[in-house]
Amino acid sequence: MQQYKILYIISSLKRCGPVNQLYGIIKYLDRNRFEPIILTLFKESDDSRATDFHALDVKTYCLNVNRKNSFYKSKELIKGSVEKINPDLIHSHGFRPDLYTYKYLNKYKHCNTIHNYPYEDYVMTYGKILGRAMAYKHIAMFSKMNYPIACSYTISNKLKKDLDKEIYTIQNGIDEEKFSLVDYQTKIKLREKLNLNRNKKIFIYSGVLSVRKDPLTIIDAFNKANINKEAELILIGDGPLRKECEDKVKEGIRVIGKVDNVIDYLQASDMFISASKSEGLPMAVLEAMAVGLPLILSDIKPHLEVFEGDIMEDMGELFPTKNIQKLSRLMTKYAETDLGNKGKNSLNCFLNHFTAQTMSNYYQEFYTEIL
């Protein structure tokens, strides 16, 4: 059986959704069929998963390019590095890796994973002028890439309206061996370890504290609900809105910041909340499902896609984006109501549709077909 060399190009291995997705793809690769190699563009930060990839016995190379002059001055560097590797297929992730592949590496067969809808994500992240310019440029790249792959059907359907090109879809997945449901006694021990209240319902948000993720709506809704005697709200993550989030904190709310043990906090909690305005296919939501948490989610299409084929009411509830009043009522409801089987149904939906092994298998089938 022929073994194909797959080169994954990504900006860095900093802990984030696309890197976690890449880890899941590589972890479950059939090494008799595929040899994975990673090429990163920038020096690793303290919050890097490089050691996790090394533990998978993956060759990893770093170009260590200067971010300010990363594109044109790095042309020969990246071309020379890739020529030495001589991959059968390049799989790029993100704006800069796609740009390098599109401009300098198009003699190689290549695919790319599209992690967001640029006209929403980039505008909310970088502002209207720069964000729209980046979105226009990135979408133009998609039209020139051999095999663009969206991480959700929501993104592929939106891009089909922008491009006269087939967009493939492989949904995100979470490592089922890393995330798992815990029993009541373990949950209590985790709460003691994390200094969380043993007797209250705990609502949790995990992700970047940014305009796109809209954590302020979650905080405002909890404050409005006035349920601090029955429940707590914890927010895991950091970002540009952290100070504003902390300024709104009242009794019952804790902004924890970025942590290495997100799983512990998820397993210690009772219900996951996301008020996001835009997503690809939200990894944080899938992680919550993987530990058996019911969900309260904003009604954006990527959140609806999570429930596709399953009954949403069996796993949680939706609320209109930015609707503090409706979210507040849902928090009040679930602070006082037994969650029943919603958590188990959430876990079963994850196991049926969104495991990393399932995702990796689809990518391997895709690699085989195009090679």
Side-chain angles (χ1 to χ4, degrees):
M1 180 184 294
Q2 181 177 355
Q3 185 187 50
Y4 294 106
K5 194 180 292 184
I6 313 295
L7 176 63
Y8 297 95
I9 303 180
I10 193 165
S11 291
S12 75
L13 297 176
K14 180 181 178 180
R15 194 179 303 275
C16 64
V19 172
N20 295 339
Q21 182 198 38
L22 177 59
Y23 181 85
I25 294 172
I26 292 177
K27 179 177 179 178
Y28 293 101
L29 275 183
D30 181 349
R31 296 298 183 91
N32 292 320
R33 297 165 58 201
F34 305 105
E35 178 191 357
I37 301 168
I38 297 174
L39 181 65
T40 60
L41 304 182
F42 306 121
K43 183 179 179 181
E44 293 299 322
S45 64
D46 293 336
D47 188 24
S48 171
R49 294 199 65 184
T51 55
D52 295 334
F53 285 92
H54 294 157
L56 295 178
D57 193 25
V58 181
K59 293 178 183 176
T60 304
Y61 302 94
C62 180
L63 294 180
N64 199 19
V65 298
N66 186 305
R67 286 182 179 270
K68 293 182 179 179
N69 304 311
S70 63
F71 185 59
Y72 295 107
K73 290 191 175 182
S74 304
K75 176 180 178 180
E76 298 307 320
L77 177 62
I78 190 167
K79 288 180 70 175
S81 298
V82 174
E83 284 176 4
K84 289 178 183 178
I85 295 169
N86 191 27
D88 296 294
L89 176 70
I90 292 174
H91 184 172
S92 58
H93 293 259
F95 183 89
R96 291 185 183 90
D98 286 352
L99 186 59
Y100 276 119
T101 303
Y102 158 64
K103 279 287 189 181
Y104 301 144
L105 305 172
N106 54 26
K107 75 175 185 178
Y108 299 93
K109 189 167 286 190
H110 57 268
C111 64
N112 66 305
T113 294
I114 304 167
H115 296 276
N116 56 44
Y117 182 60
Y119 279 122
E120 293 176 354
D121 190 307
Y122 293 167
V123 170
M124 292 184 196
T125 303
Y126 301 106
K128 289 185 178 180
I129 297 175
L130 178 58
R132 286 191 65 84
M134 289 178 63
Y136 179 83
K137 190 174 188 67
H138 206 177
I139 288 176
M141 285 185 238
F142 298 157
S143 66
K144 304 295 184 182
M145 303 292 276
N146 288 165
Y147 302 100
I149 308 168
C151 72
S152 72
Y153 289 101
T154 301
I155 291 177
S156 61
N157 289 335
K158 287 181 178 180
L159 287 172
K160 285 174 184 175
K161 297 177 182 179
D162 298 318
L163 301 169
D164 183 21
K165 185 180 180 69
E166 182 175 6
I167 303 294
Y168 303 90
T169 304
I170 299 177
Q171 291 175 307
N172 283 344
I174 295 295
D175 189 357
E176 60 273 30
E177 293 183 357
K178 184 177 180 182
F179 292 82
S180 61
L181 181 68
V182 297
D183 59 28
Y184 176 76
Q185 293 300 324
T186 303
K187 186 182 289 283
I188 293 300
K189 288 179 181 178
L190 283 170
R191 290 193 179 191
E192 291 174 349
K193 170 186 170 183
L194 300 171
N195 194 29
L196 301 175
N197 193 293
R198 291 182 49 156
N199 302 312
K200 293 183 180 181
K201 286 279 179 64
I202 295 182
F203 298 106
I204 185 170
Y205 163 82
S206 173
V208 181
L209 303 179
S210 66
V211 171
R212 180 169 67 89
K213 300 289 188 176
D214 196 17
L216 296 176
T217 286
I218 299 175
I219 294 173
D220 288 339
F222 187 89
N223 286 333
K224 185 176 181 63
N226 193 27
I227 52 174
N228 56 69
K229 291 183 179 179
E230 300 86 15
E232 287 187 350
L233 170 65
I234 61 175
L235 295 95
I236 307 297
D238 206 344
L241 291 185
R242 179 164 181 175
K243 177 65 166 56
E244 197 169 345
C245 288
E246 291 174 336
D247 289 344
K248 286 179 171 285
V249 164
K250 295 182 181 179
E251 186 178 351
I253 301 176
R254 292 172 60 186
V255 180
I256 305 292
K258 185 174 287 188
V259 297
D260 294 328
N261 57 337
V262 173
I263 300 173
D264 288 347
Y265 282 94
L266 290 172
Q267 291 175 331
S269 300
D270 294 300
M271 199 160 203
F272 182 86
I273 302 177
S274 171
S276 187
K277 301 173 186 176
S278 175
E279 292 284 353
L281 190 67
M283 301 289 275
V285 173
L286 301 186
E287 289 173 357
M289 294 171 69
V291 303
L293 291 185
L295 310 168
I296 299 177
L297 307 177
S298 56
D299 60 355
I300 59 175
K301 287 186 177 180
H303 284 162
L304 291 169
E305 185 174 330
V306 169
F307 297 117
E308 190 170 345
D310 294 85
I311 301 173
M312 179 270 293
E313 289 82 0
D314 289 345
M315 292 181 275
E317 299 203 39
L318 299 169
F319 67 95
T321 306
K322 298 180 69 174
N323 192 317
I324 295 170
Q325 185 75 26
K326 179 63 183 292
L327 178 55
S328 178
R329 288 200 296 267
L330 290 176
M331 287 183 173
T332 301
K333 172 183 174 180
Y334 286 109
E336 302 171 347
T337 304
D338 185 83
L339 297 172
N341 291 319
K342 289 183 184 292
K344 291 181 180 178
N345 294 331
S346 181
L347 174 60
N348 288 334
C349 178
F350 162 75
L351 292 173
N352 289 333
H353 303 290
F354 300 111
T355 67
Q357 187 160 9
T358 297
M359 173 187 66
S360 182
N361 288 342
Y362 279 126
Y363 272 103
Q364 291 175 70
E365 291 173 9
F366 190 84
Y367 296 158
T368 300
E369 182 178 340
I370 64 179
L371 286 168

